[in-house]
Amino acid sequence: MGTSDEEIDRLLGKLTPRARALLLTGATTWRTKAEPAVSLRELVMSDGPAGVRGEAWDERITSVLLPSASALAATWDEALVERLGGLLAAEARRKGVDVLLAPTLNLHRSPLGGRHFECLSEDPELTGRIGAALIRGVQAHGVAATAKHYVANDSETDRLTVDVRVGERALREVYLAPFEAAVAAGVRLVMAGYNAVNGTTMTASALLTDPLKSEWGFDGVVVSDWGAVRGTVDTARAGLDLAMPGPEGPWGEALARAVADGDVPGATVDDKARRLLRLAARLDALGGPDSHRLPLTGESRGGERPAAVRASSAARDTCLPVSADDPHGAEHLSDHAPSSSRGSSRPVPTGESRGGQRSAVPASSAARGTVPASSAARGTPRRPVPTDNARGRERPSTPVPSPTRDDRTRAGARTLARRAVAAGAVLLANRDVLPLDPERLATVAVIGAHAARTRTQGGGSAGVFPGEEVSVLDGIRAELRDRAARVVHVPGPRPDGPAPPLAPDDCTDPRSGLPGVLLRMLDAEGRELYAERRLGGRLLEPRLVPGAHTVEIGARLRPRTAGRWALGVAGFGRMSLTLDGRTLLAGDFPPRTDDPAVVHVNPPAQCATADLAVGRDALLVARRELAPGTGRATVLVAAPPAPDVAAALSEAARAAAGADAAIVVVGTTEHGESEGHDRTDLALGATQDALVRAVTAVNPRTVAVVNSGGPVELPWRERAGAVLLAWFPGQEGGAGLADVIFGRAEPGGRLPTTWPAALADAPVTRTRPDRAGRLDYDEGLHVGHRGWLRHHRTPAYWFGHGLGYTTWSYDELTVPTAARAGDDLTVRVRVRNTGVREGRELVQVYLARPASALDRPVRWLAGYAAVRARPGETATATVRVPARALRHWSVVEHAWRTETGTWRVLAGRSAGDVPLAANLEVVPAPGE
C-alpha cells in the first residue's frame, strides 16, 4: 500500500487513543504489536551488524557471519559495504526479519572501548560514509536498518547510567555527525541509547526531537535500546516512539493512562503511532493479506518454536548481492573465485571456542566419529540430532537448522564474505616478506591457539552462530593442499582467560552418547519437563515451559589431557556443579549488574578444579535455578591444565626455526573485547607477546597476524617480518587471509582508528565515569588522530595507514583557487605506481585552517577515493570534499557557519603522512 500521510492518517483514525498508545510497546523481546483493526502484522527485529541472528539464541539456527564493523570500515569501500548490506538483507528476509539493529555509529573515542569491533571508526566522516553505505545496502531490499546508539554511547563502563558531558560544538561536529549522515541516507529507525547526555537520559532527551526530527527531517521510528526506558511521562513527551522489549515495561497501559489523564498529549502519541504505521507500510506489513514476512525459526509470542520456513528462491535472488560466477564478486583474486580446494571450509562447525564464538572441529574429528570424513572434506555441515525424552529417542532438531539455500546462492554469499576479509585486512608492516610464494615453500609453521580457533566475531548481543567457519590454519592448509609445502601447526602457550564453554569435540550427551551436552528443564520437585541434546555448553536461552524451575546441563567429559582441570558454570542465582556425583561448588550468586549483556549473554563463571585422567570419562552436571532478575543463560565451562609456558614456547621456536616461513597468530578473547565492559589495558598478555618474540627470534620470515577488533599493543612489531591485522574476520576469515598471505589478493585495508604503541601514549583513555556518574568529554573535537596531532604524539600506526603490495609516489595536488562557503569542492590527486605489481591506493584528503579564530584540529579528514594502476602508470584520484567538512557549529548562533579566508588542503596516505599541500581560498556565499 502507499505511504502517503493521508493514508496513514486514515488508518490512525481507526484506532482508539488507548490502542494507539499500546502499539508503542513491543509484543515480545523482538516483535512489535500487531493490530488487526488496520491489518498491521508484527514487525520482527534482530541484532546486527556482523550477521542476522534472528529472535533466538540457538546454535542450531545458523547465520552468515561477516567481518566485524571495524573491519568493514577498514575497507574504506562504500560500494563493497553496500553489497554486504544487501547480503545482510538477504539473511534477514531468509529469517523473516523486518528490522536489522545496525549499524552502530558510535565512535572509537578511546582505544579502551570494549565494543570497538561493533563500531566503525574514530572519525565522524568515515563512520558516516561507511554507515550510510551499509544502510543503503540493507534497505534496498525491503529490510529496515537502525542507526544506533544515539548518541555519545561510546564506551561500556556503567553504560546504563553514565552521564556524558559534551560541549555543544563537539556534539554537533563529532558525535551527531554520523547519525545525520544516516538520516540523509534514509535510515528507517534510530535507536536511543542507555546513557544520558548533559544530564538527561537519551530516551527522554530533547535531542530526539531537535536536531533529529526537526532539523534533519527524520520521519522514521526512534526505538529505545532494550530496557533503556525507565519512566513513562518524561520519555513519552520526548521524541521516543517505540519502547522495547515488551510486553512489560514503563509504557503500555501506563502510557494509555497518562494520555487519558492528560499527562501526555494525545497528539504526541498520535505522531509516534503514525511513525510506526509509516514504517510498517514501508516494510509491507500493513493493510492487506499480502503484508506478511516468512515466519522466523525462533520463539513466537507463546514461547513455542515454529518450524523453519524455507524462503522462496525468488526472494533470495532479489536480495543476493553477488553470485559465485559474478566477476565482480571475485575481482580481488588473481586467479579465480574460491573453490573447494582453496579456502573451503573443511571443518564442520559445531561448538564454541575459547572466546565464546563458534569454532570448527578439525578434520581429525571425523575419525573420532563427530562427523563422517566425507562430509568434512566437502565442507558440508552435518548437525547432530538432539534427543527429546528420558529414553533418549532421537527427533528432528527443534528449531530445525536454517533452510538450506541453493549452491549458487550459498557460494555467492561466501565469495562476498571472503572478499570482504581481504578488503579489510590491514598490512601494518612488511619487510619484503609478504606475499609468500607457495612455490618456494617447503615447510610453513603456523603457530598460536588463534590460528586453529580464530576469533571470528566479538562478544555480546551482536553474536551469531555461523554455519561454517574457516580458521587461519584451515585457510593456509587449503591454499597449500595441492602444493609441495608441508604445514606444521604448534598451538604455543594458552592465551590468558577463563575457561571456555564446552565444545562437542570435548564431551558427549550422557543420554545418547552423541557429541554435545544434554539440556534438561526441571520443575521444583526435580522432575524432568523436557530434554534435548544441544551442541555446546553455552545455552543462553533454554526453552521455557510451564513449571520450569531449574536448568540442568549434563555432559560426559572425554579428557585428552590429564591433570587438574578448571570446571565451572556461568549464570546467576542458585547454582551447583557436580562431577561424577561429587559436589564441586554450590551457592547463590546474585547478579552484580542489571546490564543485559552481562545477565543474558556473558554471565561470569563460578569455577572449581578437579583432577581428570585420559581415557576415563567423567560426568559433569551443572544446575541453576530460575529466578526473577537473573535471566536464564547457563553456560557449562571446562579448561584442561595449561601447558608449561616454557615448553610451549620452545616447541613453537623449534617449529619456526625449521620452516621456510612462520605465521604466528595472536589475539584477544571475548573477555577482553565484548559488549558490557571496557578494557583496562591494550596488552595481548605476556604469553602471547613471548610467543611472537620466540618465533621472530629464530625466523626473520615471520608473519604476525593480529586477531582483534580494536587496538592492541604490539611491543614486538619491529621484530616481525610482516604484521597483518585480521580484525574479527567473520566465517571466511581464514580463506580471505590466505588470499592475502599468498598474494592472491592485495591487503585492501586502511586503519579506521589510530593504534598507539602504548596505552599511556593515547590522548584519550578515560572511559570510567566519576563518582557522580559523569564522564566528561574534555577533549572536545580532538578525538582520534585529531588528538594525537594536537598533543604532538606519534602512534604506532596512524589513522588511514595500511600497505599494499606495491609502492606509490604522490606527484600532484590540484585544488580550486577559490571556493564559495557552503559549496562542495573537488580535489584531484595524481599518484604513480612505483612498484612491480598492479595495486590499489586509497588517497586521503585532509583540511586545515591554521589561522582560524576557532579551536580546530591540526587537520581532519575531508574526503577519500581509491585508484588502481599497473606498474609505472599514473592515476588521478578525484576526491569530493563536501561543504560540511569546512563548516563549524556556532555555539553563539546555534547554527552552522563557514569561515572565509585561506585554508590548507593536504593529501596523502594517512593522517600522519600527507606529502602534498595547497592553499584554498574560501569566499563568502552570494548574499553574505
Side-chain angles (χ1 to χ4, degrees):
M1 63 171 295
T3 57
S4 68
D5 289 342
E6 292 80 6
E7 183 67 17
I8 296 297
D9 284 342
R10 184 186 68 80
L11 294 173
L12 192 65
K14 294 183 175 182
L15 302 178
T16 65
R18 179 175 177 274
R20 298 173 193 179
L22 294 181
L23 270 183
L24 307 179
T25 294
T28 69
T29 302
W30 298 109
R31 297 188 178 216
T32 63
K33 291 184 184 298
E35 178 48 72
V38 292
S39 299
L40 171 67
R41 67 167 172 84
E42 296 171 321
L43 299 179
V44 179
M45 303 185 179
S46 174
D47 273 319
V52 184
R53 187 179 62 251
E55 294 182 83
W57 282 94
D58 191 314
E59 74 281 4
R60 298 164 296 182
I61 305 173
T62 61
S63 308
V64 171
L65 175 60
L66 300 180
S68 62
S70 53
L72 299 190
T75 68
W76 296 58
D77 187 337
E78 291 154 67
L80 174 59
V81 171
E82 192 166 335
R83 294 176 72 187
L84 292 168
L87 194 157
L88 291 173
E91 279 286 282
R93 293 183 67 88
R94 180 174 70 86
K95 293 194 167 194
V97 169
D98 300 285
V99 177
L100 181 65
L101 303 177
T104 301
L105 300 181
N106 305 115
L107 300 182
H108 297 175
R109 173 179 170 265
S110 163
L112 292 174
R115 213 170 179 179
H116 265 348
F117 61 88
E118 194 178 322
C119 307
L120 293 164
S121 85
E122 70 181 24
D123 184 78
E125 178 70 13
L126 179 60
T127 296
R129 287 178 61 168
I130 297 297
L134 191 73
I135 290 165
R136 291 193 300 269
V138 170
Q139 295 190 167
H141 302 289
V143 176
T146 308
K148 64 182 187 183
H149 310 84
Y150 189 87
V151 63
N153 190 178
D154 307 297
S155 52
E156 295 294 288
T157 304
D158 295 341
R159 63 175 180 154
L160 303 187
T161 57
V162 62
D163 180 9
V164 172
R165 298 301 175 106
V166 56
E168 183 180 346
R169 187 173 167 213
L171 184 62
R172 281 286 192 151
E173 294 185 28
V174 178
Y175 298 101
L176 284 170
F179 291 93
E180 185 176 5
V183 172
V187 72
R188 301 297 195 208
L189 296 93
V190 171
M191 181 188 289
Y194 292 116
N195 60 301
V197 172
N198 296 330
T200 305
T201 185
M202 278 311 305
T203 51
S205 174
L207 293 170
L208 299 180
T209 301
D210 184 24
L212 179 58
K213 292 182 175 179
S214 58
E215 180 184 328
W216 300 346
F218 176 64
D219 67 353
V221 170
V222 177
V223 60
S224 72
D225 204 340
W226 267 229
V229 179
R230 289 117 190 197
T232 303
V233 174
D234 60 340
T235 54
R237 285 179 170 270
L240 188 72
D241 301 313
L242 177 62
M244 292 295 289
E248 305 299 329
W251 280 16
E253 291 290 353
L255 178 57
R257 288 193 299 271
V259 173
D261 295 342
D263 295 328
V264 176
T268 300
V269 169
D270 288 352
D271 178 69
K272 300 177 192 299
R274 185 179 293 110
R275 289 171 178 272
L276 188 61
L277 293 177
R278 184 183 296 125
L279 173 66
R282 288 168 170 168
L283 295 174
D284 194 27
L286 182 64
D290 295 329
S291 61
H292 66 279
R293 186 64 60 84
L294 293 171
L296 179 72
T297 304
E299 291 193 4
S300 65
R301 282 180 295 178
E304 297 298 324
R305 296 182 184 275
V309 178
R310 188 183 306 270
S312 70
S313 297
R316 293 196 309 267
D317 292 342
T318 299
C319 297
L320 184 65
V322 64
S323 66
D325 55 359
D326 179 357
H328 300 290
E331 63 187 358
H332 74 298
L333 298 178
S334 58
D335 296 325
H336 51 266
S339 68
S340 60
S341 64
R342 293 189 180 274
S344 63
S345 178
R346 291 186 302 120
V348 179
T350 53
E352 303 283 340
S353 75
R354 181 169 186 77
Q357 72 277 10
R358 288 172 55 81
S359 63
V361 177
S364 59
S365 297
R368 295 195 303 269
T370 302
V371 64
S374 58
S375 296
R378 291 194 305 270
T380 303
R382 182 180 172 90
R383 299 184 184 90
V385 179
T387 57
D388 193 27
N389 54 43
R391 291 183 297 275
R393 291 198 308 265
E394 293 188 355
R395 62 170 177 80
S397 301
T398 305
V400 300
S402 303
T404 301
R405 292 170 287 175
D406 59 84
D407 291 341
R408 179 185 176 91
T409 301
R410 179 172 172 173
R414 294 190 65 185
T415 297
L416 185 58
R418 178 173 178 169
R419 178 188 169 197
V421 176
V426 182
L427 185 57
L428 296 174
N430 190 17
R431 297 170 180 85
D432 295 323
V433 171
L434 287 180
L436 298 178
D437 184 351
E439 302 300 331
R440 297 185 178 182
L441 299 173
T443 302
V444 176
V446 183
I447 298 169
H450 282 75
R453 295 201 172 190
T454 306
R455 190 177 179 201
T456 56
Q457 61 183 316
S461 61
V464 302
F465 299 99
E468 48 211 342
E469 289 178 297
V470 184
S471 70
V472 174
L473 180 60
D474 296 331
I476 292 170
R477 282 176 170 164
E479 178 63 33
L480 299 179
R481 182 178 300 149
D482 299 327
R483 319 257 185 183
R486 183 171 65 101
V487 178
V488 177
H489 175 240
V490 176
R494 191 168 72 194
D496 298 332
L502 269 178
D505 51 339
D506 296 324
C507 61
T508 59
D509 167 7
R511 185 168 289 174
S512 69
L514 296 173
V517 304
L518 178 66
L519 167 66
R520 297 202 306 152
M521 188 66 71
L522 310 177
D523 66 12
E525 303 301 321
R527 291 185 294 261
E528 182 178 296
L529 300 176
Y530 76 85
E532 60 181 357
R533 183 169 66 89
R534 298 292 293 268
L535 305 182
R538 187 172 184 241
L539 303 178
L540 302 185
E541 289 182 343
R543 180 165 52 95
L544 295 179
V545 293
H549 179 271
T550 300
V551 177
E552 180 188 277
I553 305 176
R556 189 165 294 282
L557 294 180
R558 300 175 300 174
R560 292 192 292 270
T561 303
R564 179 142 296 195
W565 283 59
L567 307 171
V569 55
F572 294 106
R574 183 166 296 280
M575 300 191 299
S576 66
L577 183 69
T578 64
L579 181 69
D580 289 332
R582 177 170 59 92
T583 300
L584 297 182
L585 65 87
D588 195 0
F589 305 95
R592 297 182 179 180
T593 177
D594 57 355
D595 190 317
V598 178
V599 175
H600 302 295
V601 182
N602 289 320
Q606 311 299 325
C607 289
T609 60
D611 291 326
L612 299 178
V614 176
R616 184 183 303 167
D617 292 356
L619 180 61
L620 186 65
V621 178
R623 285 188 174 187
R624 64 153 296 183
E625 295 182 5
L626 299 171
T630 64
R632 49 183 158 137
T634 311
V635 187
L636 187 59
V637 304
D644 179 76
V645 173
L649 291 175
S650 295
E651 183 185 13
R654 285 194 301 271
D660 298 296
I663 300 168
V664 56
V665 187
V666 291
T668 60
T669 70
E670 184 171 350
H671 301 277
E673 285 185 278
S674 179
E675 179 182 358
H677 60 82
D678 292 313
R679 294 187 283 174
T680 57
D681 60 52
L682 300 181
L684 287 173
T687 56
Q688 291 201 80
D689 287 338
L691 177 63
V692 182
R693 288 191 178 100
V695 173
T696 56
V698 298
N699 194 328
R701 291 175 57 78
T702 294
V703 180
V705 178
V706 182
N707 182 197
S708 71
V712 292
E713 293 174 351
L714 308 174
W716 35 259
R717 65 189 182 281
E718 298 298 333
R719 302 185 183 188
V723 181
L724 180 64
L725 174 57
W727 306 105
F728 297 149
Q731 69 176 54
E732 302 299 321
L737 292 168
D739 290 338
V740 170
I741 289 169
F742 295 105
R744 291 167 57 80
E746 187 178 36
R750 303 296 184 265
L751 284 178
T753 193
T754 307
W755 275 46
L759 175 60
D761 299 336
V764 180
T765 58
R766 185 181 168 203
T767 61
R768 181 171 295 280
D770 61 21
R771 292 184 178 181
R774 292 175 41 156
L775 180 61
D776 293 314
Y777 282 21
D778 295 328
E779 68 279 359
L781 305 174
H782 306 282
V783 180
H785 62 280
R786 303 175 180 195
W788 287 87
L789 291 165
R790 179 182 180 86
H791 292 282
H792 306 287
R793 298 177 185 175
T794 302
Y797 305 107
W798 282 101
F799 170 81
H801 170 74
L803 306 175
Y805 284 155
T806 189
T807 56
W808 299 84
S809 67
Y810 277 67
D811 296 344
E812 184 178 37
L813 170 64
T814 304
V815 303
T817 55
R820 292 188 303 188
D823 287 353
D824 297 347
L825 64 129
T826 300
V827 173
R828 292 179 173 82
V829 183
R830 192 177 76 238
V831 297
R832 180 183 299 273
N833 184 340
T834 58
V836 297
R837 173 173 170 149
E838 181 180 352
R840 170 184 180 267
E841 176 71 348
L842 183 80
V843 177
Q844 301 162 42
V845 172
Y846 294 81
L847 288 177
R849 174 82 166 118
S852 178
L854 303 166
D855 174 34
R856 286 190 182 273
V858 174
R859 57 180 169 269
W860 61 95
L861 181 69
Y864 56 88
V867 295
R868 297 190 67 87
R870 290 190 287 266
E873 288 185 344
T874 61
T876 299
T878 301
V879 182
R880 184 182 69 87
V881 176
R884 65 175 177 270
L886 289 86
R887 69 183 185 176
H888 67 273
W889 182 258
S890 169
V891 297
V892 175
E893 302 174 75
H894 303 293
W896 292 106
R897 295 290 181 261
T898 301
E899 277 190 303
T900 57
T902 303
W903 291 64
R904 293 284 282 172
V905 181
L906 306 98
R909 308 193 75 249
S910 73
D913 182 7
V914 282
L916 301 180
N919 287 340
L920 169 71
E921 196 70 22
V922 177
V923 300
E928 291 188 358

